[in-house]
Amino acid sequence: MEPCRYPWRPDLGDGMYSNPVIHADYSDPDVIRVGDDLWMTSSSFQCTPGLPILHSRDLVNWQLVNHAIRRIPHESYRDVRPGCGIWAPALRYHAGKFWLFFPMPDEGIYVTTAEDPAGRWAEPWCLQEAKGWIDPCPFWDDDGRAYLIHAYAMSRSGLKERIHLRPMEPDGTRLLGDGVELFHTPHHLYLEGPKVHKIDGWYYILCPGGGVQTGWQVVFRARSLTGPYEEKVVLEQGSSRVNGPHQGALVDLPDGSWWFLHFQDCGPFGRIVHLQPVRWEDGWPVVGVDRDGNGIGEPVERWIKPVPDCPIRIPETTDTFGSNALGLQWQWNANHEPDWSDLTSRPGWLRLPGGIGSAGDLTMFPRFLGQKFPARQFRVSTVCDITAAAVDSLAGLAVVGGGRSFAIAFKRGAGRNRVVLCTAEGEEEVAALERMTAELAVTVSSDGSFRFEILQADETWKTFERGFRAREGGWIGARVGLFHTSELQSVADFSAFLFSAP
């Protein structure tokens, strides 16, 4: 089977693009431009490595080039903590370096910096210990003064729909006072995610409101950073098929055009990234297409590419394990250790030492190695070899999300080997095999349903009748990936992890 290099391709090849520009779970995207280069980051929650760094030259074709952190900066994340970890970050360029401010809603606000976003980032430091502060964004004004703006998580702080501004040391090492609450907006439910810009003498604060599934994008503007602010809704679903278009980034290009990237909550497929054109009218951005003439835009499905003739790029999915390092698309379920994977002992194979866990509950297994869903429908296959596995160990392919996991696993037996479907209800044997290798696959459909498959001895695929449905997790989409559970010292090997069309 040949891998499909582009499970989802937004660049239509005719000077147009189709939304979403990234059909994968890059939640709460923030984007900046430095010269001709565009850089994106997003939330990563409990998964590691965290804070992905993506690069583009045209806002349509993106490559995953780095992660800003290898481990979440708190000891508790050696265990899986769904829905915790790194929430919506802000990426900025100031004083010759890149800055990432990110919230951990149970721990506080953290900062890391780099001279090259594709290179090494500094060890994160805690700017402020706090419970319930989220969505921080730094701002350096023309007079050299620096500020932090942030929102609150109702689940931790008891506050919501409030945006706070605090003075900060310009080097991002400490806050300088309590600052002021800029606004409290119960009429914009779940207002959060503030991003600050200064354009033509105006201070603009962009915030999503209304919640991830049904919300809208709000812009506040004032002549003074502390207000008073006017407000305007600039993007909503309207008659489009894009629910909850908000929480993103306003960015300009060298040609003077403006654009807005935002996510759309698509359940098990995660929060996928859309790109909207922006025009300015009476000092307000109009995002998308204003079909009603009221200054409120609606998302577009297709549009002219911002920059022509850029080569097609898609965040990687397939991994042939031909390198001495995992592809950047892989993430573990918690803070990971170097010895959780091995790509050198058996060249061309990924070796996973076994860990203690349940194949029926991989949501809480730190060593689950997963990827984001990369398209609305796709197929993944891999070869699993249990020659060196311990008796009763399980190794295989799984879909994880929403507190549930579903897996097809190869189980080493004392007398025979078995292939089993693993769910929270237990193991269901679906095949007995004398051999030590099995090619396993899963096909995901556009409604989130999926079925597992196995390659039989006659080289035909058997699809198992029992189907499942993927679920979104704690603020993140479902993931597909590999695992090996064992009570004893044990290793299992996997050959190429291949994506293809279903």
Side-chain angles (χ1 to χ4, degrees):
M1 180 188 65
E2 289 296 322
C4 175
R5 183 167 174 78
Y6 304 125
W8 173 262
R9 177 175 154 171
D11 191 327
L12 301 178
D14 59 0
M16 304 288 289
Y17 74 89
S18 176
N19 271 317
V21 291
I22 304 179
H23 205 311
D25 187 24
Y26 288 94
S27 178
D28 311 315
D30 197 20
V31 179
I32 61 170
R33 178 180 63 84
V34 179
D36 293 328
D37 295 296
L38 294 142
W39 303 95
M40 179 192 296
T41 191
S42 75
S43 303
S44 49
F45 301 99
Q46 79 272 13
C47 302
T48 64
L51 288 172
I53 304 295
L54 297 94
H55 175 260
S56 176
R57 288 293 184 95
D58 67 352
L59 296 170
V60 173
N61 292 283
W62 291 92
Q63 278 187 299
L64 179 61
V65 298
N66 199 8
H67 286 87
I69 66 165
R70 180 183 173 274
R71 298 171 62 84
I72 301 171
H74 197 277
E75 290 184 359
S76 64
Y77 289 93
R78 63 180 178 269
D79 300 319
V80 182
R81 295 181 57 192
C84 301
I86 296 173
W87 287 21
L91 177 62
R92 291 293 182 265
Y93 183 76
H94 172 71
K97 59 184 176 181
F98 292 82
W99 301 72
L100 259 172
F101 283 61
F102 62 94
M104 293 167 55
D106 298 302
E107 291 86 20
I109 304 298
Y110 289 76
V111 185
T112 179
T113 63
E115 293 185 0
D116 175 6
R120 186 174 183 84
W121 287 76
E123 190 68 24
W125 67 86
C126 183
L127 169 62
Q128 179 69 46
E129 291 185 1
K131 191 173 185 67
W133 291 19
I134 59 170
D135 306 348
C137 181
F139 177 72
W140 293 268
D141 210 340
D142 299 335
D143 60 5
R145 296 181 181 179
Y147 302 87
L148 181 78
I149 189 170
H150 69 88
Y152 294 93
M154 177 68 178
S155 59
R156 271 77 168 180
S157 67
L159 302 174
K160 62 178 181 177
E161 292 125 18
R162 299 172 188 267
I163 303 299
H164 207 107
L165 179 74
R166 302 176 190 271
M168 179 181 71
E169 285 282 6
D171 63 0
T173 55
R174 67 187 180 104
L175 298 178
L176 300 177
D178 291 336
V180 296
E181 181 177 281
L182 292 182
F183 23 83
H184 176 207
T185 58
H187 56 292
H188 291 304
L189 299 176
Y190 309 112
L191 191 82
E192 54 187 359
K195 297 293 189 295
V196 189
H197 298 267
K198 190 174 186 180
I199 304 169
D200 295 335
W202 286 95
Y203 295 89
Y204 292 91
I205 300 176
L206 283 73
C207 296
V212 297
Q213 294 180 337
T214 59
W216 49 85
Q217 182 69 28
V218 189
V219 171
F220 301 84
R221 72 173 187 180
R223 287 295 187 181
S224 166
L225 184 58
T226 55
Y229 279 87
E230 308 169 80
E231 66 177 74
K232 183 176 177 58
V233 174
V234 297
L235 178 69
E236 61 186 12
Q237 179 174 358
S239 60
S240 79
R241 295 183 293 182
V242 181
N243 60 292
H246 60 53
Q247 184 81 2
L250 181 69
V251 62
D252 68 332
L253 294 182
D255 66 358
S257 63
W258 286 83
W259 301 83
F260 184 72
L261 290 103
H262 65 90
F263 74 68
Q264 176 196 11
D265 189 313
C266 289
F269 295 92
R271 298 176 182 179
I272 63 179
V273 182
H274 290 243
L275 174 65
Q276 306 298 335
V278 173
R279 65 180 176 85
W280 290 84
E281 185 176 285
D282 298 327
W284 294 99
V286 179
V287 183
V289 174
D290 180 6
R291 293 186 173 89
D292 296 328
N294 58 5
I296 302 176
E298 297 179 9
V300 301
E301 291 190 17
R302 294 189 178 194
W303 202 256
I304 301 169
K305 282 179 57 179
V307 180
D309 302 325
C310 280
I312 292 174
R313 296 285 187 268
I314 304 291
E316 290 293 342
T317 51
T318 285
D319 196 340
T320 58
F321 304 132
S323 170
N324 60 1
L326 285 167
L328 293 172
Q329 62 269 36
W330 293 104
Q331 290 179 296
W332 302 94
N333 236 5
N335 275 344
H336 61 284
E337 300 299 334
D339 62 0
W340 285 10
S341 65
D342 176 3
L343 286 157
T344 58
S345 294
R346 188 179 180 184
W349 292 73
L350 167 67
R351 174 161 289 178
L352 293 183
I356 297 175
S358 168
D361 185 18
L362 295 171
T363 59
M364 300 305 294
F365 184 48
R367 295 185 181 218
F368 173 69
L369 181 62
Q371 293 193 31
K372 308 171 190 298
F373 279 19
R376 202 67 184 196
Q377 48 188 352
F378 59 92
R379 186 173 184 271
V380 178
S381 70
T382 190
V383 175
C384 178
D385 185 337
I386 58 169
T387 302
V391 171
D392 290 333
S393 65
L394 285 158
L397 179 63
V399 173
V400 172
R404 295 289 301 273
S405 65
F406 308 90
I408 183 169
F410 204 8
K411 186 170 187 175
R412 180 72 185 268
R416 66 171 186 167
N417 301 321
R418 297 182 294 144
V419 176
V420 295
L421 294 179
C422 302
T423 67
E425 288 73 43
E427 300 174 9
E428 175 189 342
E429 182 175 340
V430 291
L433 299 177
E434 294 183 2
R435 61 186 188 270
M436 292 291 185
T437 62
E439 187 164 355
L440 311 172
V442 63
T443 296
V444 177
S445 300
S446 59
D447 62 355
S449 63
F450 60 92
R451 294 179 186 274
F452 290 110
E453 307 164 53
I454 184 172
L455 187 66
Q456 302 178 106
D458 63 359
E459 296 297 310
T460 62
W461 284 95
K462 177 181 179 180
T463 301
F464 299 109
E465 291 185 4
R466 186 177 181 189
F468 306 98
R469 188 172 296 276
R471 304 180 181 189
E472 62 269 34
W475 316 120
I476 65 176
R479 290 176 293 147
V480 59
L482 304 171
F483 70 95
H484 177 204
T485 61
S486 179
E487 298 288 332
L488 304 172
Q489 186 172 353
S490 176
V491 296
D493 295 336
F494 297 87
S495 73
F497 193 82
L498 303 178
F499 283 82
S500 65

